[in-house]
Amino acid sequence: MPGQGISAIEGEINRFRSLSLEELRQEWQRLYHSDAPRISRDLLVLALGYRFQEIEHGGLGKSTRRKLQTIAKALHTTGRVGPAPSLDLKPGARLVREWHGRTHTVTVTEDGFEHAGVNYASLSKVAEKITGAHWSGPRFFGLPGPLSNGGRDG
C-alpha cells in the first residue's frame, strides 16, 4: 500500500464511498485491526479515508503525537482543553500580598503597576523589589493564570 500516488489514494477513497456498511466494517478491521465502532456510514468512510492516507504518508510526526498526548492528559486531569484562561486586570485594581509580616499593596495602572509610590512596567519587577529575588509576578501575587493586560504580564 505505501508509495501510492495521490490519484491512487483518491481512487481508494472513492472505493470506500461505494462500499456497503458491512464492507466498510470489514475495511475498518483490515486498516485499524479492531472492530468498527457504531458510527454512521459517512463517518466510517471519512475515518477509513484518513487511516488510508495516514498509512500512505506515515501518520503524525513525533512532536504532534506528543502534543496530542499532552492535550489528552490535560483533558483527563482537568476536564478541559486549551490554554489556561488569562486574567485581565483593569486599571485601579489592587493586589495585596503579605511578605515577611508586611502587607504590600500594588495598584494596576494604565501603563503598569504602582507599589510604594514607584511605577513598574511588570508585576515581576514589583515582586523582585519586595523579595529581593526573581519571581513570577502573577504567581507571587497568587493570580490564577497569566495576565492579558497589554503585555504587562510580569
Side-chain angles (χ1 to χ4, degrees):
M1 217 175 321
Q4 297 182 25
I6 297 296
S7 61
I9 292 172
E10 288 173 348
E12 189 68 5
I13 292 171
N14 284 331
R15 186 180 74 78
F16 293 150
R17 289 186 181 116
S18 71
L19 297 177
S20 69
L21 187 56
E22 186 53 39
E23 291 170 323
L24 287 171
R25 288 190 173 126
Q26 290 170 1
E27 285 296 317
W28 185 282
Q29 181 68 43
R30 182 176 72 84
L31 294 175
Y32 281 98
H33 307 290
S34 67
D35 291 337
R38 295 280 177 198
I39 57 177
S40 72
R41 183 184 183 289
D42 290 340
L43 286 177
L44 281 172
V45 169
L46 289 172
L48 289 168
Y50 174 84
R51 179 65 178 148
F52 187 79
Q53 291 176 77
E54 181 183 42
I55 291 168
E56 181 63 26
H57 294 291
L60 300 173
K62 286 182 183 180
S63 65
T64 303
R65 284 195 311 266
R66 256 193 316 272
K67 184 177 276 189
L68 289 171
Q69 287 171 342
T70 301
I71 290 168
K73 184 177 179 184
L75 178 62
H76 179 72
T77 303
T78 66
R80 62 180 196 75
V81 176
S86 61
L87 184 62
D88 189 20
L89 296 176
K90 306 285 187 219
R94 292 180 181 236
L95 305 171
V96 179
R97 167 72 194 261
E98 185 178 336
W99 181 256
H100 293 307
R102 186 163 170 229
T103 301
H104 298 272
T105 302
V106 174
T107 303
V108 179
T109 64
E110 288 291 333
D111 57 349
F113 303 90
E114 184 273 327
H115 171 258
V118 179
N119 289 318
Y120 296 87
S122 78
L123 200 50
S124 291
K125 294 294 183 191
V126 178
E128 186 173 345
K129 178 66 177 170
I130 292 169
T131 66
H134 178 73
W135 273 78
S136 158
R139 180 173 286 172
F140 179 77
F141 284 94
L143 300 176
L147 302 181
S148 65
N149 55 352
R152 299 180 321 245
D153 60 357

